[in-house]
Amino acid sequence: MRRKNQTVFGRSIAGCALALGAVSLIGVKVPVSAAVPVLAADVNTAIRSVDFRNFSYDAGEGEVITTKNGEYFREDPDDKLYLQVVGVDYGDLDGNKTEEAAVWLLLNTGGTGQFTYTEVFQLVGGKPKRAALTAIGDRADDGIHDVFVDAGQLVEDRYSNGQGACCPNEISRFRYRLTGSKLVSTGSKPKRSVVFLGAEATNGTAVSLKFLKGTSASTLYTDNTQPVDVTLSARAGQTIVIKPVQTRDTSGLPGVSVFDNGKRVVSTTGKAITAKLATGKVRLTFTGEGFVDIAIR
């Protein structure tokens, strides 16, 4: 269930801790911006010149904080605060031929809660101004998995249906258009499964991936230092899409190799990739630690 908008910072969510359990998001690294789309010549892209990783954000209650290299720390034991700029993407969200910036933020105020949300900025008089923000989620309770702009819409993938705050079972997709100062829902909420690959996946037997009924996409989280193998079934001629999204590994986003009937057809060390499948007998090998989106089309 989506939460109503809350005070973004402020004392209403203070006192939450840093410990996250199985899926810690503090220190998450993701692609800072998505692939740049082909834009019409008359679309104003000036907002891309704003450095949102080194930027002043409204912290509520009259306080303004400034991130440096995408982060802000306040170590006051009575008023801790951590803010991370997880990612930034751009697009014309209101159809006025001028791009907005969608800034994905993560907030922690000293406890277990990892609060994620998106702020949308416009250029007003040549200066960035917050136009709208999305609801705040906390890890498996509506926390954000990914944010990007697609076809003039803000897209948020959010976790849900968790067995505790640490471990979501599903991801739902939400789409919005910017109308004035509001983000208005524009579409359905397709779901996909979240599968955690634990230590048992490294015992020499590949894990068989099953999609949710009626879907052909899933998100895998690998937390092993040893390679993890996953098998799945597709039809000959279909295409597999792989997108590493987040990592906790200092070496970067997770690496993935795609094998079709035993033959390696493509590999990635962090970038989104696609591959056409000759047979559909798929095996995936993962290295590193983090979230990877997988879809069959």
Side-chain angles (χ1 to χ4, degrees), residues 152-164:
Q153 298 178 341
L154 174 67
V155 181
E156 287 187 326
D157 286 345
R158 288 186 175 249
Y159 301 116
S160 61
N161 196 27
Q163 300 297 316

Side-chain angles (χ1 to χ4, degrees), residues 75-277:
E75 296 296 340
D76 184 342
D78 297 321
D79 192 18
K80 289 185 177 182
L81 183 65
Y82 172 79
L83 181 70
Q84 181 186 9
V85 180
V86 184
V88 185
D89 202 7
Y90 305 90
D92 180 9
L93 298 176
D94 57 4
N96 69 349
K97 302 298 183 180
T98 299
E99 283 191 323
E100 284 76 38
V103 183
W104 171 10
L105 296 170
L106 181 150
L107 169 70
N108 176 272
T109 54
T112 57
Q114 306 298 303
F115 301 100
T116 47
Y117 56 98
T118 304
E119 292 195 6
V120 175
F121 288 88
Q122 295 174 318
L123 283 183
V124 179
K127 296 182 179 180
K129 180 181 179 181
R130 188 175 76 187
L133 71 158
T134 62
I136 295 173
D138 178 15
R139 298 164 292 167
D141 184 12
D142 219 19
I144 293 177
H145 169 74
D146 197 9
V147 176
F148 57 95
V149 176
D150 175 60
Q153 298 178 341
L154 174 67
V155 181
E156 287 187 326
D157 286 345
R158 288 186 175 249
Y159 301 116
S160 61
N161 196 27
Q163 300 297 316
C166 72
C167 308
N169 289 332
E170 294 178 353
I171 291 175
S172 298
R173 174 160 291 181
F174 300 85
R175 288 180 171 269
Y176 303 95
R177 290 281 295 181
L178 180 64
T179 303
S181 60
K182 295 182 179 180
L183 289 163
V184 179
S185 178
T186 63
S188 61
K189 304 171 184 178
K191 294 183 178 181
R192 64 179 183 270
S193 60
V194 180
V195 179
F196 291 85
L197 302 176
E200 69 277 3
T202 64
N203 292 333
T205 302
V207 175
S208 178
L209 176 63
K210 304 295 183 183
F211 297 126
L212 290 177
K213 185 177 180 180
T215 72
S216 58
S218 185
T219 292
L220 302 184
Y221 182 84
T222 172
D223 61 355
N224 295 274
T225 57
Q226 299 297 320
V228 178
D229 283 9
V230 173
T231 61
L232 59 92
S233 296
R235 295 192 304 272
Q238 287 189 304
T239 297
I240 188 168
V241 181
I242 306 285
K243 181 186 179 183
V245 177
Q246 301 178 12
T247 184
R248 288 272 299 172
D249 192 328
T250 56
S251 64
L253 289 166
V256 187
S257 293
V258 180
F259 297 82
D260 184 14
N261 201 28
K263 179 181 179 181
R264 185 165 65 181
V265 293
V266 69
S267 296
T268 179
T269 54
K271 296 181 179 180
I273 55 172
T274 62
K276 192 168 184 178
L277 302 171

